[in-house]
Amino acid sequence: MILPVVALLSACDMVVMAPAGDVAAQQRDLLVVSTLLMLLIIVPVMGLIVFFAWKYRASNKEAQYEPDWDHSTSLELVIWSAPLLIIICLGALTWAGTHLLDPYRPLDRIKPGQAVAEDVAPLQVNVVALDWKWLFIYPEYGVATVNELAAPVDRPIRFHITSSSVMNSFYIPALAGQIYAMPGMETKLHAVINHPGEYEGFSANYSGDGFSHMRFAFHGLDRAGFDRWIAGVRQGGQPLDRERYLELEKPSEKVPAIRFSNVEGGLWDAILNMCVEPGKMCMGEMMEIDRRGGLTMASVRNTMPLVYDKYAGRGSNAAFFGSDDSYVMTICTPLQAEAAAAERARRSELLNASRGPIDRSPLSGQGLTPQGVPMASLSPFATGPAEAGVRSAPNA
């Protein structure tokens, strides 16, 4: 009778309860404390159920039972005050944990009692969820990998996460909680690994046929080991440009680790803005055009027949509405788009470096004063500072 239980428990992994990262450890503590607080009510209630069933059983003729009894002030105080106090405690823990463990919040500490040094910059890793594999770009080192991730011990890590097609969930149980990867959007996660070792990461959100194999290795290394790992990627890898990325983006399963010795400039910005294909307008360009009033009827013939999911059926079938890629064509020159991408990267670095309040005065929209700009300033031949506001990537 015990063997089936043993078989079920054989699949259990205690990494969530014994993580190697400080953020995951704090999340574990929050889970344990919340469970213990709830057990303060659950355990006595379960015990009283057994006690009452035993005491007032039909064979116990000596039990004093009063069916007309309906009120006790003392019992009412216990019944209402105990759950209320527990709810107050759980609410306080939830409020504190929501703010202190916000994945977008830069880390204040490496481990209990050790704050982040002021001269230590976080390791930035750009994460792209592909079908069905993970792409990791290290902008600081100019390298990239597929289904292989490494980070030095006790150095903060800042993940910038997006997806190429459908929603996924980036999750390394030993490091921190999961966070979603969505196409055309950027989510962030701050974490740190405190113990060297080999850990596993995967997608925690179903995304199609190859979802179950969407796993990768995460190496927690000391500083010297991480430097050697970076050197190995640079020596044994291949270049990652837009053409190679478009091939990599196509659905595939059980992909082994791949290393890229260098990454084409602006690739991450193009992936995020969904404009890796040559001649495709970036979302940043679209939003800037809309902010300036739009292109009105001039843009009617600037689109191709819309096919949202170019890999319909997640790799098993052709596209539903056609076989060709379709998109809004770009109207920026390569030089204008390059300057815009550089400006966007600069503003992103300033935003990441600053922990103060964000100035929202430049925002415009419904209920705000519109800032009209002549359409000539949006033409491919326009020059001047207006182009610098276009948040896009270079277009080949």
Side-chain angles (χ1 to χ4, degrees):
M1 293 177 63
I2 300 178
L3 287 177
V5 179
V6 175
L8 291 173
L9 293 177
S10 64
C12 293
D13 191 346
M14 293 299 294
V15 65
V16 175
M17 302 306 295
D22 183 62
V23 174
Q26 294 182 69
Q27 294 171 336
R28 182 268 322 272
D29 294 342
L30 184 63
L31 175 64
V32 171
V33 173
S34 300
T35 302
L36 292 176
L37 282 173
M38 290 183 284
L39 287 177
L40 291 178
I41 289 294
I42 295 173
V43 171
V45 168
M46 295 179 67
L48 288 174
I49 289 175
V50 176
F51 171 75
F52 290 149
W54 173 258
K55 180 176 181 180
Y56 297 107
R57 65 192 186 279
S59 60
N60 186 9
K61 304 301 183 181
E62 298 180 358
Q64 184 179 359
Y65 177 63
E66 300 177 7
D68 295 330
W69 179 88
D70 59 6
H71 179 73
S72 171
T73 302
S74 300
L75 283 177
E76 290 287 344
L77 288 174
V78 173
I79 291 172
W80 287 102
S81 62
L84 180 61
L85 290 174
I86 291 176
I87 291 173
I88 292 174
C89 293
L90 287 173
L93 282 173
T94 302
W95 187 90
T98 300
H99 290 80
L100 294 177
L101 298 176
D102 181 1
Y104 282 66
R105 182 176 182 268
L107 299 184
D108 291 328
R109 74 179 201 183
I110 299 297
K111 60 183 68 173
Q114 182 177 344
V116 177
E118 295 183 359
D119 59 341
V120 174
L123 172 68
Q124 180 172 330
V125 181
N126 298 333
V127 181
V128 185
L130 304 172
D131 295 329
W132 288 277
K133 48 200 169 284
W134 293 93
L135 172 64
F136 304 104
I137 302 174
Y138 290 79
E140 180 180 343
Y141 300 95
V143 300
T145 58
V146 170
N147 285 346
E148 184 181 19
L149 176 65
V153 171
D154 291 342
R155 180 182 176 183
I157 313 169
R158 184 177 67 234
F159 294 101
H160 295 241
I161 307 169
T162 190
S163 175
S164 66
S165 57
V166 298
M167 179 183 290
N168 267 287
S169 181
F170 178 72
Y171 187 30
I172 305 176
L175 187 68
Q178 64 173 332
I179 187 165
Y180 286 109
M182 294 168 282
M185 300 179 65
E186 181 183 84
T187 52
K188 294 181 181 178
L189 173 65
H190 289 81
V192 63
I193 191 73
N194 299 118
H195 303 287
E198 300 294 321
Y199 309 99
E200 184 182 37
F202 54 89
S203 173
N205 190 81
Y206 180 75
S207 59
D209 295 344
F211 160 76
S212 58
H213 302 291
M214 198 170 173
R215 298 174 177 269
F216 60 91
F218 173 54
H219 312 294
L221 306 170
D222 57 28
R223 183 63 193 182
F226 180 72
D227 291 340
R228 289 193 298 270
W229 184 83
I230 290 291
V233 174
R234 285 174 173 167
Q235 293 175 1
Q238 53 186 301
L240 178 62
D241 54 17
R242 295 189 179 214
E243 184 178 354
R244 180 71 180 91
Y245 171 80
L246 291 175
E247 288 294 322
L248 190 67
E249 188 186 47
K250 296 178 180 178
S252 56
E253 301 181 31
K254 300 181 181 180
V255 177
I258 306 174
R259 296 181 173 184
F260 300 98
S261 57
N262 60 78
V263 181
E264 179 180 333
L267 179 60
W268 165 254
D269 195 83
I271 295 171
L272 181 60
N273 279 277
M274 304 180 72
C275 57
V276 179
E277 295 87 348
K280 182 178 181 181
M281 180 180 289
C282 299
M283 289 197 312
E285 295 173 7
M286 295 183 190
M287 290 186 286
E288 182 64 17
I289 290 171
D290 290 341
R291 187 183 73 83
R292 298 184 182 189
L295 292 178
T296 63
M297 293 298 293
S299 63
V300 169
R301 298 187 180 277
N302 197 41
T303 59
M304 302 289 288
L306 179 61
V307 179
Y308 171 72
D309 193 348
K310 57 186 175 184
Y311 302 123
R314 313 305 330 129
S316 58
N317 300 303
F320 287 124
F321 301 106
S323 57
D324 297 330
D325 296 342
S326 59
Y327 42 76
V328 179
M329 296 176 288
T330 184
I331 60 173
C332 294
T333 66
L335 290 179
Q336 290 172 337
E338 245 181 70
E343 174 64 14
R344 181 179 184 276
R346 184 188 68 82
R347 284 185 288 180
S348 179
E349 290 178 0
L350 291 176
L351 181 62
N352 291 330
S354 173
R355 299 187 183 183
I358 300 174
D359 180 18
R360 291 179 169 84
S361 58
L363 297 179
S364 61
Q366 183 176 2
L368 301 176
T369 303
Q371 299 177 2
V373 177
M375 292 307 301
S377 65
L378 296 175
S379 71
F381 305 101
T383 58
E387 289 83 6
V390 182
R391 301 180 64 182
S392 64
N395 293 294

